[in-house]
Structure formats: C-alpha cells, structure tokens
Amino acid sequence: MNQNLFAILRDCFPADRARPAIVQPDGAEISYGELEAAAGRYANVLRRLGCEPGDRVAVQVDKSVEAVFLYLGCAQAGCVYLPLNVAYTADEVAYFLGDAAPTLFVCRPEAEASLKPVADKAGVANLMTLDAEGEGTLAEAARAASPDGEIHEAGEDDLAAILYTSGTTGRSKGAMLTHGNLSSNAITLRDLWGFREGDALLHALPIFHVHGLFVALNTSLANGSTIFFLPKFDADEVLRLMPKATVMMGVPTFYVRLLQHPGFTREAAAGMRLFISGSAPLLEETFREFEERTGMRILERYGMTEVGMATSNPYEEAPGRERRAGTVGFPLPGVEVRIADEDGKLLGRDEIGVLEMRGPNVFKGYWKMPEKTAEEFRDDGFFVSGDLAKIDADGYVHIVGRAKDLVISGGFNVYPKEIELVVDDIPGVGESAVIGLPHPDFGEAVTAVCTRAPGEEVDEAAVVTVCKQKLANFKVPKRVFFVEQLPRNTMGKVQKAELRKAYEETFKQS
Ligand code: MCA
Ligand code: AMP
C-alpha cells in the first residue's frame, strides 16, 4: 500500500467530495473535491519545475488555502515540505536555504526582491511567490496546470517534511519527518480525540509549525472534517465562528485571550465539544478559569517538532482518568515514554528526570547532522527530549521544566543562545544573558540582561533595534536590562535562575 501521507489522507476524505474541506473567513468554501484537484495541480507544477521526489520545497508564505494546496501537492509529488515562519529575517532564511538546498523556494511577493539574492547564493533553482490572498507566480502556474496525476509511491520511512528547530548551541537543526511519522500521528489523534461525522475545526494557528500544520490540519483531513480557516488568532473572529465549530486547537495564549474577552461565555462555547491546548505549559489557573466559565475542561497534550504529539490527557473522562490541570496526560497509543537521568538510568514513579520517547511518531534524525542525531537517541531507539518530567502514581506525565535552555513565548520556541550571539555582537555591549520571564499573555517573555563594555553607553533601544533587524519579531527581547556584571557561579557559568528571580516581577499585571 502506498504510504504517502497524501494517499492516506485522501482515503479518509468524504465519499461526497462536495462536502466543505476549508471555509474562509468570508464564508467561501473549498470542497474536498476542489482540495484534491488543487493538490494535484500543485504537484504537477512542482514536477514541471524539476522538483523530484525527495527534493526540498522551502516555503515562507502567509497563511492561505493555497499554502495548504502547496503542502498537500508537495506530499503528493513526494517532495519534502519545508515551512518557514514568516517572521524569519533574510539572515535567518539564508541559513535554512543554505542548509536544506531546496529545489524551489516560495516566498511572499513583497519579500521577493530581498530574498532573491539569498536564494541565488544558496543555489536555489526556482523562486516563486504566493501572497496572503493566494495570488502570485506559483498560484498562476497552478491554475494553468492539470489536476490529474499520480500520487508518488512513498514508503513510511521516506521524508515528507523538514522542520527547523533551534538548538541550545544557537544553530538550527532540521528535523526530518517521514510520511509514516505524520500519518500515524494524524490517525492516532483523530481516533483518540473522538473525531466524528459533523466535526468542524476552528483553525487560528500558523501553518509553519507542527501544531497548526500537522496536528490541526492532518487530523481534521484524516476525518474528512470541515476546517474554519482564520489567517491568525483574533478573539473576535474566533468567537464569531465558534457557533459553527466543534473543536479548537490552540496555544495557551489563545485561551488566556479568550478568557479576557467578555463575549466568551458558556453560551458562546456551548456548541463546542473539545478545546485542546499545547506547545507550551497551560497554567492551572487558566484551566480552572476556563472550566468555571464554560463547564468544559481544556484537554492539554504534549509534543515536539521531532516527535509530533506524544502524550495527551484523556478525551473520554472516567473516574481516575479525567483531564488534569498541570499534566499532559498519558502516552498516545503506540508511543512509549519513560523518565531517565542524564546518563540514561531509568527513574521511578514521581522521580524527576528527562522525558524520553519512542514510537512511530519519532522523527528520522536531523538533516545532515548524523552526530547530533546520534547524541539525542539512546541505543534502544528512545529520543531524549530535553524536557524535565515525572510520571505520577496514576500514570500522568507532568512536564516540570526544561533541561535545555529554552524560552517558549506565545507557543514559539526561542533559544537564548541565538539571541545572546546577536546581542553580544552589538557595539558597546559587553556580554549578555537571555532569559524567559513570566508574562501574562505570552507565558514567557524573552528578556536580555547585559553588561556594557567599558566607557560605552549603549541602551535598551539600540539593542532592540539591532535585534529587530536580525531576528524574527517573537525572538526580540521585550525588555533589556543593564547590570555591572552578570552573576556567575564558581565554574564561571551565568546564574540564569538568579537573574529570573531578580526580574520576575517585570511583566506581572498590576
Ligand atoms: C507575536 N509577537 C510575539 C509573539 N507573536 N512576541 C512574542 N511571542 C510571540 N509568540 C510580537 C509581534 O510581532 C508584535 O511585536 C508583538 O509581539 C505583539 O503582537 P500581537 O499582535 O500580540 O501578536 P499576535 O499576532 O496576536 O500573535 C500572538 C500569538 C501568535 C497569537 C500568540 O504568536 C501565535 O499564533 N502563536 C502560536 C505559535 C505556534 O503555533 N506554536 C506551535 C509550535 P511588534 O509590536 O514589535 O511588532 S509547534 C510546537 O511547539 C510543538 C510541536 C507543540 O507541542 O505543538
Ligand atoms: P517545538 O520545538 O517548537 O516543537 O516545541 C516543543 C517544546 O514545547 C517541548 O519540548 C516542550 O518544552 C514544549 N511543550 C509542548 N507542549 C507542552 C505542554 N503541553 N506543556 C509544556 N511544554 C510543552
């Protein structure tokens, strides 16, 4: 059987292809039949451009239905989809193109002039455009292409996507995800979360990360569901469409913002059967406030780019198996999890260590980094997550911290090292330490603490200005503080815990 993700999803499409697959904010509908035809057109355009199976197609575009067609067309043609956050700057994009060597790069029309030299330098053969309305040179080519064509015969171990995740060294790694990784996760989640006839998903996440692209889209498509597709999270828009939807997936910031909205009432949520949260810790107070407001418990789950989804609170609640605040539930069917210390020694119930995972969801390795890949896998195939966790006596997994130096802001990961390298380079800065501080909206806020070089007067505005030029906006420090010297331990290591303590009130609501 063809293990191509698109073939597997297509087998799940409704027999009646006139059923709506995607509904746009203005109510315009794309049927399953149109979705299938559009994916075929995009696959044919890719083939015509010389994209062979296994070739990378890098994509940095705004969220649009055409971008979904491109994603599905890519799978159909056997190409490797490489989505990039639209917030990434030209410097950041240069690294990804150089590393992944795509055959095609699709960007926003307004970015074409600045990214053309970047693509040329990386040796990318084709540069095409797609805008937020789904127009551009690629869309034009797709309109002219035939919808018919075969679905590339893929094995479950063949690559379907590369998603870059930053690392503690500051250098991004491309996580290689296979057709089997993506399809197994989609089918498992569809069944586990009780997807059914008549379900409609409220989709307000970006589609360049695992959450919005794979968890939300693939799971819905694997159920033949309708997707209400919003360009971004906007509480008013989400509330306008909520009566038509049954399921929503979001990062904790979505739920914090909904709870702040006076229109988010029990009645507004009455037609929904499930709210799912992930990508960052959901505060227990958000979970409780949500339950008080709506009578429903948010289902929190846990995952990573490298493994897709790995654990979930139960959908079907039963005594002793309810959705519990502050936990990420149980391993998904077919997924094994365990807790170990740094040397790989297994730990017992309630002991805190690093979470390790194994299963059909776990990625194939980091693109062109065999050594890094080997470092993060145990000999028996478990992937070492870098998240500190424990498993309690009832079997619930709790994420209690991170062994990796990582900040998660509004569901986006920021590795301090990457920001520190940029800040340290700013004339007048001595050295810097970047930390995450509690933030009422984003969960954590990126914050830089710096020293000045002797006799220099560099200030917060100067640091922010340079960061904005070089880094994606969500990585830019929300505040910059200057100190005489950074606190260090006897080994000379910066004491970040001390800094977090010193500045913990910075973003607290008054
Ligand atoms: C935007 N800004 C941010 C963020 N987003 N700053 C910090 N953190 C962010 N996440 C910047 C904007 O550029 C702007 O800066 C200022 O903050 C305020 O913007 P605002 O209008 O409030 O932002 P927004 O457009 O409403 O976006 C916030 C958001 C968005 C809705 C939370 O960031 C979002 O959709 N996050 C979802 C991330 C996600 O999908 N993560 C999944 C990763 P300025 O004023 O300077 O212009 S996948 C994953 O983690 C794993 C696999 C998993 O488990 O799911
Ligand atoms: P990413 O590298 O963007 O895929 O982000 C994955 C990271 O997000 C994980 O390693 C965790 O640190 C974090 N994460 C995802 N879901 C949760 C959750 N429900 N609770 C706590 N942390 C989470």
Side-chain angles (χ1 to χ4, degrees), residues 95-109:
Y95 170 76
F96 299 124
L97 297 186
D99 192 55
T103 306
L104 166 66
F105 175 42
V106 186
C107 71
R108 301 188 280 186

Side-chain angles (χ1 to χ4, degrees), residues 205-206 209-211 232-233 251 253-254 257 279 301 303-305 309 409-412 442 468 473-474 478:
L205 287 158
H209 288 306
V210 165
H211 197 165
K232 59 173 281 201
F233 180 83
V251 296
T253 301
F254 287 16
R257 290 186 182 181
S279 305
R301 58 45 170 194
M304 273 183 90
T305 299
M309 296 301 99
S409 172
F412 287 136
F442 292 127
K468 280 195 169 165
N473 56 19
F474 64 89
K478 300 278 181 225

Side-chain angles (χ1 to χ4, degrees), residues 36-223:
E36 191 177 347
R41 290 183 208 282
Y42 274 84
N44 282 330
V45 171
L46 296 180
R47 291 184 184 114
R48 217 197 56 226
L49 290 170
C51 300
E52 302 277 342
D55 281 5
R56 277 76 56 214
V57 173
V59 179
Q60 190 191 32
V61 300
D62 288 307
K63 186 175 175 181
S64 71
V65 288
E66 300 283 328
V68 177
F69 301 158
L70 171 58
Y71 159 59
L72 294 175
C74 210
Q76 177 165 343
C79 298
V80 180
Y81 194 65
L82 195 168
L84 295 169
N85 193 326
V86 283
Y88 290 147
T89 62
D91 279 0
E92 291 168 313
V93 171
Y95 170 76
F96 299 124
L97 297 186
D99 192 55
T103 306
L104 166 66
F105 175 42
V106 186
C107 71
R108 301 188 280 186
E110 63 270 29
E112 191 180 9
S114 59
L115 291 176
K116 171 98 174 61
V118 174
D120 285 346
K121 190 159 175 235
V124 180
N126 303 284
L127 178 64
M128 299 197 87
T129 61
L130 200 56
D131 72 11
E133 273 68 52
E135 291 298 328
T137 53
L138 187 68
E140 259 170 58
R143 270 197 293 274
S146 157
D148 304 320
E150 62 180 37
I151 302 178
H152 172 73
E153 187 79 26
E156 57 183 16
D157 229 21
D158 289 342
L159 284 199
I162 295 179
L163 270 77
Y164 277 86
T165 79
S166 307
T168 41
T169 57
R171 199 171 155 224
S172 288
K173 303 163 287 182
M176 299 189 287
L177 295 158
T178 65
H179 286 266
N181 292 150
L182 302 182
S183 61
S184 69
N185 226 223
I187 304 292
T188 301
L189 296 173
R190 176 195 70 188
D191 296 343
L192 188 73
W193 291 339
F195 271 78
R196 61 193 66 173
E197 176 82 26
D199 261 336
L201 179 86
L202 200 40
H203 193 303
L205 287 158
I207 55 168
F208 37 66
H209 288 306
V210 165
H211 197 165
L213 185 63
F214 302 144
V215 189
L217 282 184
N218 291 353
T219 305
S220 298
L221 295 175
N223 191 54

Side-chain angles (χ1 to χ4, degrees), residues 270-495:
M272 296 287 287
R273 81 172 169 83
L274 185 59
F275 291 92
I276 302 170
S277 176
S279 305
L282 180 74
L283 292 181
E284 295 197 28
E285 66 190 62
T286 310
F287 179 93
R288 304 219 183 282
E289 205 188 320
F290 196 94
E291 186 173 8
E292 276 161 30
R293 182 85 62 91
T294 64
M296 276 183 267
R297 291 184 181 150
I298 297 174
L299 182 155
E300 184 170 7
R301 58 45 170 194
Y302 160 85
M304 273 183 90
T305 299
E306 289 90 333
V307 302
M309 296 301 99
T311 77
S312 169
N313 266 281
Y315 173 65
E316 299 284 0
E317 296 194 277
R321 269 187 81 91
E322 57 291 317
R323 294 176 204 160
R324 289 195 189 162
T327 84
V328 293
F330 306 103
L332 301 188
V335 177
E336 298 166 87
V337 306
R338 67 187 187 193
I339 311 288
D341 69 10
E342 278 190 7
D343 303 323
K345 184 171 139 294
L346 296 189
L347 300 177
R349 290 283 175 213
D350 279 325
E351 286 187 292
I352 294 175
V354 177
L355 186 68
E356 301 186 353
M357 294 166 271
R358 183 168 71 176
N361 56 320
V362 175
F363 76 135
K364 200 172 174 173
Y366 295 112
W367 174 254
K368 293 200 297 204
M369 288 186 178
E371 279 148 30
K372 188 82 204 149
T373 303
E375 269 171 35
E376 300 200 10
F377 278 93
R378 299 283 180 209
D379 291 344
D380 57 2
F382 273 79
F383 171 65
V384 182
S385 69
D387 285 311
L388 292 176
K390 65 172 187 180
I391 301 178
D392 70 19
D394 295 333
Y396 284 82
V397 178
H398 302 238
I399 306 294
V400 299
R402 296 168 202 143
K404 49 198 174 191
D405 190 13
L406 162 70
V407 178
I408 305 184
S409 172
F412 287 136
N413 287 8
V414 182
Y415 278 85
K417 187 76 195 168
E418 187 186 354
I419 321 304
E420 288 161 4
L421 290 173
V422 169
V423 176
D424 289 351
D425 239 21
I426 297 173
V429 171
E431 57 175 352
S432 68
V434 168
I435 52 174
L437 294 176
H439 188 281
D441 185 36
F442 292 127
E444 290 181 304
V446 176
T447 306
V449 184
C450 317
T451 64
R452 292 188 174 93
E456 296 286 348
E457 294 191 350
V458 60
D459 61 6
E460 178 165 18
V463 171
V464 168
T465 303
V466 175
C467 287
K468 280 195 169 165
Q469 282 158 9
K470 300 207 167 160
L471 297 165
N473 56 19
F474 64 89
K475 299 178 188 169
V476 175
K478 300 278 181 225
R479 285 300 314 270
V480 180
F481 296 103
F482 288 90
V483 292
E484 285 299 313
Q485 57 182 40
L486 295 174
R488 290 183 184 276
N489 65 13
T490 46
M491 308 290 289
K493 192 169 181 288
V494 176
Q495 300 290 79

